[in-house]
């Protein structure tokens, strides 16, 4: 039975500027008709120009939020964003193994669009923690640099990335949603994304490239839209077909929001999560 209003939990960091993190997740879940909940993992002080501070919350405080929700509220989908530390990655993986939500989308957040680091990885502990989270997830949504870090393989061109994504899917028994926003041929007219299944099947969706710096939080927004649509019963392929053009429209509408000082070269403004309601 799929619910009329999917109940979606975001386990992620707070972005004070409102463009990414739990703020983007809640706006996106609401835009797609879901009921949003949060377990906040870290407080970040950031705006459209960059990240000023990152404060991961104590593991007990994160676990208490998760247990509180699970004790009372059924979840149709869970979306995981910034986790911040290896300890929090382990705590969330343990909670997923215990709770086994029906739909788990893992956005392997490592750096902000400004280039600031958000999650420590690279050492053996980090690799083991990612591995455990990947096993507990149904969909993982890496961009190209994240895919390269997770697999240790080259992912600079699309074919190499698809190959690495097939390896990641098979190794961890997880469907991969590969995002092409960081492709070198960024000047190309189209941006590809692809659903890569465990058996290696690839379903590619291309969309027009939007020339804008209103790209802060696109990864958070996409993964929350996919979680909400899957929570309502859609396949990953159908969810991507609906979310991708909606996100491109949200990017196009982003500049009209007038959020942050766009005259500065460091500006990466938010997308307009509410564009479809307003138009
Ligand atoms: N210029 C663009 N025009 C249209 N769609 C884009 C553009 N850039 C990224 N996207 C889309 O946005 C989504 C996120 O892709 P991207 O590869 O930028 O992920 P990300 O780096 O995790 O995002 P973030 O900037 O939030 O970290 C994908 O669906 C991608 O196709
Ligand atoms: C809190 C948070 N999560 C994720 C991202 C990635 O965009 C960000 N910038 N901030």
């Amino acid at each position: 039975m799929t619910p009329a209003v999917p109940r979606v939990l975001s386990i992620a960091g707070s972005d004070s500027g409102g463009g990414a993190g739990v703020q983007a997740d809640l706006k996106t879940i609401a835009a797609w008709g879901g009921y949003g909940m949060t377990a906040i993992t870290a407080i970040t002080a950031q705006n459209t120009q960059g990240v000023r501070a990152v404060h991961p919350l104590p593991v007990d405080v994160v676990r208490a939020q998760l247990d509180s929700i699970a004790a009372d509220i059924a979840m149709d989908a869970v979306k995981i964003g910034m986790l911040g530390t290896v300890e929090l990655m382990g705590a969330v993986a343990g909670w997923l193994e215990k709770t086994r939500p029906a739909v788990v989308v893992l956005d392997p957040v490592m750096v902000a669009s400004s280039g600031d680091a958000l999650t420590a990885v690279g050492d053996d502990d980090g690799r083991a923690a990612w591995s455990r989270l990947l096993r507990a997830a149904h969909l993982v949504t890496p961009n190209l640099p994240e895919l390269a870090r997770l697999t240790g393989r080259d992912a600079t061109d699309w074919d190499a990335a698809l190959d690495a994504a097939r390896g990641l899917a098979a190794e961890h028994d997880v469907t991969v949603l590969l995002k092409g926003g960081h492709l070198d041929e960024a000047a190309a007219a189209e941006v590809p994304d692809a659903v890569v299944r465990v058996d290696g099947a690839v379903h590619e969706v291309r969309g027009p490239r939007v020339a804008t710096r209103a790209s802060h939080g696109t990864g958070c927004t996409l993964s929350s839209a996919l979680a909400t649509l899957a929570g309502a019963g859609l396949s990953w392929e159908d969810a991507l077909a609906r979310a991708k053009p909606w996100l491109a429209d949200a990017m196009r509408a982003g500049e009209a929001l007038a959020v942050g000082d766009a005259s500065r070269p460091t500006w990466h403004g938010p997308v307009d999560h509410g564009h479809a309601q307003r138009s």
Side-chain angles (χ1 to χ4, degrees):
M1 257 289 287
T2 31
V5 178
R7 295 150 296 188
V8 184
L9 167 63
S10 162
I11 306 173
S14 165
D15 168 6
S16 50
V22 293
Q23 288 80 0
D25 297 344
L26 286 176
K27 293 172 196 181
T28 303
I29 295 162
W32 282 100
Y35 174 81
M37 300 170 273
T38 59
I40 297 181
T41 56
I43 307 290
T44 74
Q46 63 179 302
N47 56 24
T48 58
Q49 315 295 332
V51 181
R52 293 188 179 189
V54 176
H55 180 78
L57 293 179
V59 169
D60 286 356
V61 175
V62 174
R63 218 179 258 132
Q65 295 173 77
L66 293 168
D67 288 340
S68 226
I69 294 166
D72 181 47
I73 309 172
M75 289 159 272
D76 300 297
V78 174
K79 172 251 148 97
I80 299 163
M82 172 188 176
L83 293 175
T85 65
V86 165
E87 289 72 29
L88 285 171
M89 291 165 80
V92 169
W95 181 82
L96 291 171
E97 288 159 4
K98 185 175 68 178
T99 321
R100 303 185 73 76
V103 173
V104 178
V105 176
L106 173 65
D107 183 10
V109 172
M110 295 175 189
V111 298
S113 30
S114 53
D116 299 285
L118 292 174
T119 302
V121 283
D123 54 10
D124 289 345
D125 285 351
R127 257 189 293 278
W130 279 121
S131 210
R132 202 171 154 202
L133 282 166
L134 285 162
R135 284 250 152 224
H138 302 105
L139 185 79
V140 60
T141 63
N143 62 25
L144 297 190
E146 289 161 352
L147 180 69
R149 290 292 287 274
L150 290 172
T151 59
R153 292 172 60 171
D154 171 61
T156 41
D157 71 65
W158 189 239
D159 286 339
L162 282 173
D163 230 42
R166 280 194 198 93
L168 187 71
E171 185 183 348
H172 298 282
D173 193 25
V174 66
T175 301
V176 179
L177 187 297
L178 179 61
K179 300 177 294 191
H182 290 248
L183 274 177
D184 256 357
E185 54 269 45
E190 290 191 318
V191 180
D193 290 336
V195 176
V196 181
R197 293 279 180 175
V198 174
D199 66 4
V202 172
H203 174 86
E204 195 167 295
V205 178
R206 291 180 171 263
R209 176 170 191 280
V210 181
T212 179
R213 284 187 291 140
S215 61
H216 177 64
T218 49
C220 305
T221 301
L222 179 72
S223 56
S224 298
L226 295 173
T228 309
L229 288 161
L234 271 71
S235 67
W236 299 125
E237 289 82 358
D238 289 347
L240 180 62
R242 299 203 42 199
K244 189 166 164 71
W246 173 86
L247 178 58
D249 285 344
M251 294 180 79
R252 282 186 199 98
E255 292 192 25
L257 283 178
V259 172
D261 184 354
S263 71
R264 294 168 67 181
T266 42
W267 183 80
H268 285 284
V271 307
D272 181 1
H273 301 93
H275 70 91
Q277 280 81 354
R278 271 188 275 284
S279 64

